[in-house]
Amino acid sequence: MNVETSLKEAMTSIEGSVGAALVDYTSGMALGTLGGSKDLDLTVAAAGNTDVIRAKTRTMEMLGLKEDIEDVLITLGNQYHLIRLLKGRGGNGLFLYIVLDKAKSNLAMARHQLKRIEADLEL
């Protein structure tokens, strides 16, 4: 799947999806976005979540942790923000970002689906 197809797959196969993006966290730029709303600017969210990933990466380095980050979850009152770092096949430095309506989503299934979408994504 290419970027556009992957984002469409995330929005249609993950129940409760509000918006999705593929983000380059070295630059903070969204390589593709789909969905969102007047209250959810995915371009701004992509840039902001880049800072989250950079901070966590620095913290892990300071702690001497040698593991990779699989995903990061931010839980809000009405939403889940799920960030999945991509591995291999040109995915280094990229993450998939999805915003879910908390009342309409299943977090475990969303994580499973993002992992599957990552595996099928061709960059």
Side-chain angles (χ1 to χ4, degrees):
M1 286 191 282
N2 64 22
V3 173
E4 183 181 343
T5 306
S6 295
L7 295 177
K8 284 180 184 175
E9 179 71 13
M11 290 295 292
T12 58
S13 70
I14 301 175
E15 196 170 335
S17 297
V18 176
L22 178 67
V23 183
D24 177 344
Y25 65 84
T26 58
S27 69
M29 186 168 65
L31 305 178
T33 63
L34 189 61
S37 67
K38 64 178 179 67
D39 297 324
L40 177 62
D41 182 331
L42 288 169
T43 305
V44 172
N49 284 306
T50 293
D51 293 336
V52 171
I53 296 303
R54 289 178 184 162
K56 187 58 187 169
T57 302
R58 276 192 313 273
T59 302
M60 289 177 63
E61 287 171 2
M62 288 187 291
L63 292 171
L65 298 175
K66 302 296 182 203
E67 295 188 52
D68 293 327
I69 298 171
E70 192 171 314
D71 58 37
V72 175
L73 171 66
I74 299 168
T75 304
L76 304 179
N78 296 316
Q79 296 177 336
Y80 293 123
H81 292 234
L82 188 56
I83 302 165
R84 179 164 183 90
L85 277 70
L86 303 185
K87 309 282 185 257
R89 290 201 331 257
N92 204 16
L94 301 178
F95 65 83
L96 278 169
Y97 170 62
I98 189 157
V99 178
L100 304 169
D101 181 317
K102 201 172 174 183
K104 297 177 182 175
S105 62
N106 177 321
L107 186 55
M109 285 303 296
R111 290 182 73 221
H112 176 74
Q113 291 286 51
L114 269 187
K115 187 175 183 177
R116 183 187 55 76
I117 291 167
E118 174 194 4
D120 292 340
L121 179 61
E122 300 206 5
L123 301 169

